Amino acid sequence: MEVQSCVKIISEWDIVAARQLGRDIAKKMGFGTVDQARIATAISELARNIYLYAQKGSICIEEVFTVDRKGIKVLSIDEGPGIADIRRAMEDGYTTSGGLGAGLPGVKRLMDDFSINTEVGKGTEILTIKWLRS
């Protein structure tokens, strides 16, 4: 099993570094260019959320394996303010930063598995997986 690789998100340059790391791992695993772009875009959104809302956190990427498939797992962890209203945050077009609002709903659409765990005042963890199609 591949060791987990993490990028601390403190500056905008860290968003680029996390995105590139994800793309590189996805390419090495055999994901096609379209899925590489989806994974990189999801990582960008997650890292940008850390940068905008939590100021610091990490994006961790690793290969995952089951009996019959393999995938890339992206874990976004921050110690920010948490998400007070997950249902609202998951609505298309919802944004508190003036951005496009693709955010979390976009990440959910780009990846195959998506789960979110958040606590107001403590932070947020978002786990996503993209499975490699054979």
Side-chain angles (χ1 to χ4, degrees), residues 31-73:
F31 281 95
T33 54
V34 172
D35 277 339
Q36 288 174 40
R38 287 182 178 129
I39 292 161
T41 301
I43 291 169
S44 281
E45 289 287 341
L46 293 170
R48 185 162 303 287
N49 281 353
I50 291 171
Y51 177 71
L52 290 174
Y53 302 114
Q55 282 73 57
K56 64 180 181 180
S58 297
I59 296 288
C60 297
I61 303 163
E62 69 179 302
E63 294 179 38
V64 291
F65 301 91
T66 66
V67 174
D68 57 349
R69 60 186 180 169
K70 69 178 180 175
I72 187 168
K73 177 171 91 173

Side-chain angles (χ1 to χ4, degrees), residues 88-132:
R88 188 142 185 240
M90 292 303 297
E91 289 176 4
D92 278 318
Y94 175 73
T95 177
T96 57
S97 67
L100 296 175
L104 297 179
V107 170
K108 186 174 183 179
R109 281 191 299 273
L110 290 165
M111 303 294 278
D112 297 319
D113 296 353
F114 178 95
S115 65
I116 185 166
N117 185 9
T118 187
E119 189 175 338
V120 174
K122 300 274 189 183
T124 302
E125 285 188 20
I126 299 171
L127 172 74
T128 66
I129 299 175
K130 185 70 163 174
W131 296 105
L132 187 59

Side-chain angles (χ1 to χ4, degrees), residues 12-33:
E12 286 196 69
W13 289 110
D14 300 326
I15 299 168
V16 175
R19 178 184 176 98
Q20 192 58 53
L21 175 66
R23 187 182 287 274
D24 290 347
I25 292 172
K27 184 176 183 178
K28 185 184 82 178
M29 289 179 67
F31 281 95
T33 54

